[in-house]
Amino acid sequence: MSFQTFAASALIAAGVVTSASADPIKASDPQSVLAYFQDIGAPATLTEDSVGDPLIELQYYGTTFAIFFYGCTDNQN
């Protein structure tokens, strides 16, 4: 696992812990992950990877991250 993938995972986990009253962040719902990063002010866009699965690209504290969603059924969940 690369550092950036690990760091992105840690950021998501931290968001889940610190925002209990906010909407839940679910890996099966890429829009909820995107909304989390947009809510904290990180420029993020939802696109697709080379096989059509969701991909979130974002900037966080000057670092570029990509969040891949593997194992999606019909490129959705």
Side-chain angles (χ1 to χ4, degrees):
M1 176 185 295
S2 73
F3 173 75
Q4 290 179 335
T5 303
F6 174 76
S9 299
L11 292 172
I12 292 170
V16 171
V17 171
T18 60
S19 62
S21 64
D23 291 333
I25 300 171
K26 300 185 293 186
S28 62
D29 180 11
Q31 190 65 42
S32 70
V33 178
L34 176 69
Y36 167 76
F37 284 107
Q38 290 176 332
D39 287 350
I40 63 170
T45 57
L46 179 62
T47 61
E48 294 180 352
D49 66 11
S50 61
V51 297
D53 288 337
L55 166 66
I56 295 177
E57 298 175 317
L58 66 122
Q59 292 282 322
Y60 194 74
Y61 286 100
T63 302
T64 301
F65 291 95
I67 302 172
F68 294 89
F69 295 82
Y70 293 115
C72 299
T73 303
D74 296 325
N75 302 322
Q76 293 182 11
N77 58 5

